Amino acid sequence: KTEEDVVSFIRAGKSKYWDASNKVDAYSLREGSVRRYSDDGEPQGTAGVPVLEVLQKSGVTDLVVVVTRYFGGVLLGTGGLVRAYSSAVKEGIAASKIGTMRYGVRLKICTDYNGIGRIQYILCQNGLEAEDTVYTDQVELTVLLAAECVPGLKKEITEATAAKAGIEEVEKLYFVAPDA
């Protein structure tokens, strides 16, 4: 989320793989349009720049990539290094689950045991899953959804439970919604 988070992630990776020959990194953050890279000792322009270019062409933001190399840099030559680092990032992005940042609301829904079935049905019909469910004398569900969907969901639950379910907005936040 922040450049401090990125730097911390990169440092942790460099500590974990301390014995690697090179740990080339690049990142792209939406907030403040921050884009940076490091060649980590590779010849200038053969590692960090190609990694960053692949990130930029992918259109993905809020992402950090660290490519760790143990052997083979000298044998590859400069063109080989560019191809190796670029293809590593392309393969990593292709293997990743990519989602869209959405503004959302975490709701707490409290109901008696008579209303839980109707609420679970409504959540399912809206493509939602409870993040957490706590069963006591009542049932308490926690649900995360896009902010624009909150009024409609509240209305559906209120109508289905004859206004017996309590619905509280616990937190407003950004979250990653998986792309279809």
Side-chain angles (χ1 to χ4, degrees), residues 12-34:
K14 287 186 178 196
S15 293
K16 184 175 181 178
Y17 302 105
W18 59 271
D19 57 339
S21 303
N22 296 86
K23 295 160 284 284
V24 171
D25 62 79
Y27 57 94
S28 176
L29 300 177
R30 179 175 33 120
E31 191 171 303
S33 298
V34 178

Side-chain angles (χ1 to χ4, degrees), residues 22-26 37-54 67 69 78 81-86 89:
N22 296 86
K23 295 160 284 284
V24 171
D25 62 79
Y37 67 89
S38 164
D39 288 316
D40 192 42
E42 296 287 22
Q44 185 175 2
T46 62
V49 171
V51 168
L52 184 60
E53 285 176 354
V54 171
V67 180
R69 181 179 64 75
T78 57
L81 281 172
V82 170
R83 285 188 298 279
Y85 282 110
S86 296
V89 176

Side-chain angles (χ1 to χ4, degrees), residues 58-157:
S58 75
V60 178
T61 60
D62 295 331
L63 174 69
V64 59
V65 174
V66 180
V67 180
T68 305
R69 181 179 64 75
Y70 279 90
F71 176 76
V74 174
L75 300 176
L76 292 173
T78 57
L81 281 172
V82 170
R83 285 188 298 279
Y85 282 110
S86 296
S87 69
V89 176
K90 287 176 189 173
E91 289 178 32
I93 290 173
S96 299
K97 291 182 182 178
I98 298 174
T100 303
M101 293 295 290
R102 302 281 307 267
Y103 184 66
V105 177
R106 182 166 281 124
L107 295 178
K108 182 167 65 172
I109 304 167
C110 295
T111 185
D112 58 20
Y113 282 86
N114 294 326
I116 189 63
R118 285 173 271 200
I119 291 171
Q120 287 173 327
Y121 177 78
I122 290 168
L123 293 178
C124 184
Q125 292 295 71
N126 285 282
L128 300 169
E129 279 184 40
E131 290 181 307
D132 189 30
T133 306
V134 177
Y135 296 92
T136 58
D137 58 328
Q138 289 201 323
V139 182
E140 185 179 291
L141 298 104
T142 306
V143 181
L144 179 61
L145 68 153
E148 65 268 15
C149 299
V150 171
L153 185 68
K154 282 183 174 181
K155 182 179 182 210
E156 280 187 72
I157 292 173

